[in-house]
Amino acid sequence: MLEMPPSWPARIRALAAGELAPVPARAAATVVLLREGPAGPEAYLLRRRATMAFAGGMYAYPGGGVDPRDREVRPPWAGPSVERWAERLGVDGPTACAVLCAAVRETFEEAGVLLAGPDGRTLVEPRDWAAERAALERHEVSLAEFLAAHRLVLRSDLLAPWARWVTPEFEERRFDAWFFVAALPPGQAAADTVGEADRVAWLTPAEAVAGFEAGEFGMLPPTVTVLRELLSLRTAAEATAVAAGRRVERVLGRAEVVGDRMTVRWDGYDELTIDGVFPA
C-alpha cells in the first residue's frame, strides 16, 4: 500500500496555493532487466541506499538521468534508427538519442550489463569492464566515446519501451522517465554489488509485488506498477514482444486539496491513489 511521504503535504499545499513553482522534470531512462527463471521471468532490482537523496531505501531498476552530451553526438548505432525511436517515444531526435543512451549507459554502470555489440547481429564478449564503467560514471567519457573506442554499436533493438512516468509537480526532485524492458543478453551476468545500492535481487514480478504489498519492499508507484503489468507474462521474450505493441503514454500524478484532505491520483491507476486527512 502506498503511503503519503512526510514531505508531501506541505509541498502539495504550497503548490495548490500558488506558492510553489514546479521544478522542471529531468529526462531519464530506466531498464527492467529480465532473465528466465524456474518460475518465469525474473526482474533485476536494486535497493537504493537510505542515504540517497532520491528514493532512498526504495527498490528500483537500473536507471538515471540523460547526459546532455548524448543530445549532441550520436553514438555508433544498430537497430531501429533514432528517427524511428523519436516517433515511438513522441519526442524529437536528440531527445530520443539521449534517452536510449541513458538506458544503455545506466544499465551498464549499475548492473554491468552492456546492450551493445560489434555489429547489429552480435553481442559484446563478456569481460571485466570495471574501469570503463567507473569512467562513465565519473563523466570522464560519454557513451558515444566509449562505444567508438571499443568499436561497438549501441543495440537499440535489445530495448523495448514499456512506459513513461513523470514525477508529480509538487516533488522536490522530478524526472520524466521512460521505462524499457530488456532480456539479459546471453553470456552476461548482472552485478551482485552496486555502489548506489545496498542490495540487489532477481525476483519474479509476483515475488516483488507480494513483498511490496506486505510492506517488506518499498517501491515508488512506477516501479510496482510495471511489475504488476508483467505478472501475466511467462517469459522475458514475451515481455519484449508485448512491449512492441504497447502505447507509451505520459503518466503524471496529480494532487487535490480540500481542507485538510489530500488525494493524489495517477490517471488510469486507481490502485495507486493516496487519500487521507493531513492537518497543517
Side-chain angles (χ1 to χ4, degrees):
M1 178 180 296
L2 292 173
E3 297 181 356
M4 183 80 75
S7 63
W8 281 16
R11 295 186 65 83
I12 289 172
R13 285 192 183 87
L15 181 67
E19 300 168 354
L20 177 68
V23 175
R26 181 186 177 191
T30 189
V31 176
V32 187
L33 271 178
L34 298 170
R35 73 177 186 185
E36 306 299 350
E42 298 173 339
Y44 182 75
L45 288 158
L46 318 168
R47 186 172 66 187
R48 294 169 61 83
R49 295 187 184 277
T51 54
M52 298 294 292
F54 181 79
M58 296 287 184
Y59 280 80
Y61 314 111
V66 305
D67 184 339
R69 293 176 294 182
D70 294 330
R71 297 178 183 273
E72 303 162 2
V73 181
R74 188 173 300 186
W77 196 277
S81 67
V82 169
E83 291 71 27
R84 286 274 303 278
W85 275 105
E87 182 179 355
R88 182 76 173 88
L89 300 180
V91 296
D92 58 30
T95 300
C97 181
V99 168
L100 267 292
C101 285
V104 171
R105 181 180 53 257
E106 294 293 334
T107 303
F108 185 44
E109 287 180 11
E110 297 190 351
V113 173
L114 182 53
L115 303 176
D119 54 52
R121 299 177 303 280
T122 56
L123 292 165
V124 65
E125 290 290 333
R127 51 159 283 188
D128 182 3
W129 293 102
E132 289 80 3
R133 289 167 61 195
L136 282 165
E137 192 169 1
R138 293 192 298 264
H139 303 286
E140 294 175 357
V141 295
S142 69
L143 182 68
E145 291 168 336
F146 161 72
L147 292 174
H150 293 276
R151 299 183 179 180
L152 298 173
V153 297
L154 183 153
R155 289 284 305 274
S156 76
D157 58 307
L158 300 180
L159 289 161
W162 190 267
R164 179 185 181 185
W165 287 70
V166 182
T167 312
E169 292 183 339
F170 51 79
E171 277 275 47
E172 186 176 356
R173 292 177 176 82
R174 302 186 62 225
F175 295 93
D176 183 351
W178 279 263
F179 287 71
F180 299 88
V181 294
L184 180 68
Q188 294 196 44
D192 292 327
T193 58
V194 177
E196 294 183 354
D198 59 13
R199 185 193 177 200
V200 301
W202 285 100
L203 299 171
T204 66
E207 290 171 334
V209 171
F212 167 78
E213 293 177 346
E216 298 172 3
F217 303 154
M219 295 182 194
L220 294 177
T223 307
V224 68
T225 297
V226 170
L227 288 166
R228 285 171 173 158
E229 292 170 341
L230 293 170
L231 281 172
S232 64
L233 304 181
R234 297 164 294 181
T235 66
E238 184 179 359
T240 56
V242 169
R246 280 177 64 90
R247 184 175 180 179
V248 178
E249 296 183 334
R250 185 171 175 264
V251 180
L252 173 66
R254 301 182 186 278
E256 300 173 2
V257 182
V258 180
D260 287 336
R261 177 168 290 280
M262 294 186 184
T263 306
V264 182
R265 293 187 175 89
W266 287 262
D267 290 343
Y269 298 93
D270 291 342
E271 71 278 7
L272 298 177
T273 300
I274 302 174
D275 180 75
V277 174
F278 302 91

